[in-house]
Amino acid sequence: MSHETTKKIKEILKNYEIPGECAFILENHTGNINSTYVVTMKEEDGNERRYIIQKINTNVFPKPSFLMRNIENVTAHMAKELKFAKDCKHQVLHLRKTKDERTYCYIVSAGDREYYRIFDYIENAKSYNIAENLDIAFKTGQAFGNFQKLLRNFPIDELEETIPDFHATDKRYAQLEKDIIIDSERRALEIAPEFMMIFQNKNSYSHITNALTTGLIPLRVTHNDTKVNNVMIDKDTDEFLAVIDLDTVMPGSMLFDYGDGIRSSAATAFENETDLSKVHLDLDLFKAYTDGYLSEMANWITSSEVSLMGESIKIITLELAIRFLDDYVCGDTYFKVDPNRPKHNLERAQNQLALAKDIEKKMPKIEEFIQECYNYHKGKSLNIKK
Ligand code: GN1
Ligand code: MG
């Protein structure tokens, strides 16, 4: 770890009553937004305890206090629900408070404030960047279904919108059109084939947002970033332990969470894969995730939501393609990019478009299974014999 980072971590730690000396720092590079460090503290008795120290990306989250208030309230609510259900298998992210009882702190670096927060490290757990088998897909679906279930009675008005219009796919598309016209980086010509596919699907981008505004489907407390690596799995039992990355918990639709969960858990390749022949939606992984998700949520969702679940997978995949492409057009200012890959965001967009094409091809099978799986779980909870 660089001398500078080590110095910063030590300065951050001064704001907390965390016992021991900082013995080891490791950067975790999986996120596209925040910077994450795993910090090992050596305590007086020789024990070692690990923590997650995260620098909040204020370009993406300009109001850290809003974001942290959401996390504090949501984790407190979930912990209460778990205790009530006497569920000790599952965990909730544990946020550390500063000496003056704040949920985050800041340090000043080169004249700018940098905001940090600390979580307890979840031990004896693993996470995956891709669902390697059906069990992982099932557990991931179950984990995010359980997350929504635990938060179904959370007072939604108390939640801040940390990123307004985060999943307003239609507005994301409109922004891309505008940025292509401005073309500040002179990249518009290069992205014509990708834009063409995005354009052809334009009419679908308002389907979920309209259903929300007309009241056809309800606003719920949702996670909004249901990637497979945001679920921690117990190393010994292979059960899901906890859902992490709560930055985007906001009022939203369960459809974006479900769709994004499938986009991430049922894909056969990483988001960074450039060999597009490897990028598919695996129907078995899709079924396993859907089964896990509906085993938790079938009883709590409406038939209007169920009827949009299949389409939500395609919409959210195209939305991410739009976001990557827009960032490429604007000069790569939002998502972290690999400095050795000048077209990183364009390649990510191509990857998502390849996935969207495959999703489209498989849509009849997707729709059929969702209905079947919903009827099964709904029937089970109503105790109807199958
Ligand atoms: C970002 O940083 P990470 O990996 O948790 C992004 C998500 C995208 C994802 C794509 C706040 O999440 O919306 O789906 O990258 N988070 C934000 O990998 O924009
Ligand atoms: Mg995230």
Side-chain angles (χ1 to χ4, degrees), residues 79-90 150:
K80 238 182 7 212
E81 291 281 323
L82 285 178
K83 217 165 137 194
F84 181 67
K86 297 202 172 57
D87 181 351
C88 47
K89 282 199 312 269
H90 300 134
L150 291 180

Side-chain angles (χ1 to χ4, degrees), residues 12 18-19 43 49 56-57 85 124 142 175 177 197 232 236 254 270-271 273 309 332 352 369 378:
I12 296 156
I18 289 182
E43 299 177 359
R49 202 181 288 268
I56 301 171
N57 180 333
N124 205 39
Q142 200 187 24
Q175 188 62 47
E177 272 194 345
M197 175 167 175
M232 305 304 293
D236 298 327
M254 60 63 71
F270 294 112
E271 285 172 18
E273 179 60 61
M309 278 169 72
D332 309 310
Q352 293 302 304
F369 181 77
K378 187 86 180 151

Side-chain angles (χ1 to χ4, degrees), residues 19-21 23 40-50:
E21 286 294 318
T40 307
M41 301 294 285
K42 196 162 189 133
E43 299 177 359
E44 257 178 26
D45 54 9
N47 276 344
E48 287 186 350
R49 202 181 288 268
R50 293 194 281 180

Side-chain angles (χ1 to χ4, degrees), residues 225 230 245 248:
D225 189 7
N230 280 334
D245 189 3
T248 46

Side-chain angles (χ1 to χ4, degrees), residues 31-33 61 166 225 227 245 248 271 320 323 334-335:
N32 289 331
I33 307 290
F61 300 107
F166 189 56
D225 189 7
K227 273 164 82 164
D245 189 3
T248 46
E271 285 172 18
L320 191 57
R323 294 174 61 198
Y334 185 92
F335 294 103

Side-chain angles (χ1 to χ4, degrees), residues 30-34 60-61 163 166-167 172 224-227 229-230 245 247-248 260 263 271 319-320 323-324 334-335 348:
T30 47
N32 289 331
I33 307 290
N34 296 319
V60 173
F61 300 107
I163 306 180
F166 189 56
H167 284 313
R172 296 271 187 192
N224 294 302
D225 189 7
T226 49
K227 273 164 82 164
N229 62 10
N230 280 334
D245 189 3
D247 293 337
T248 46
D260 207 29
R263 178 196 71 72
E271 285 172 18
E319 181 189 289
L320 191 57
R323 294 174 61 198
F324 284 143
Y334 185 92
F335 294 103
R348 284 166 165 158

Side-chain angles (χ1 to χ4, degrees), residues 40 51 79 189 250 335 377:
T40 307
Y51 299 88
L189 275 182
M250 281 182 278
F335 294 103
H377 285 290

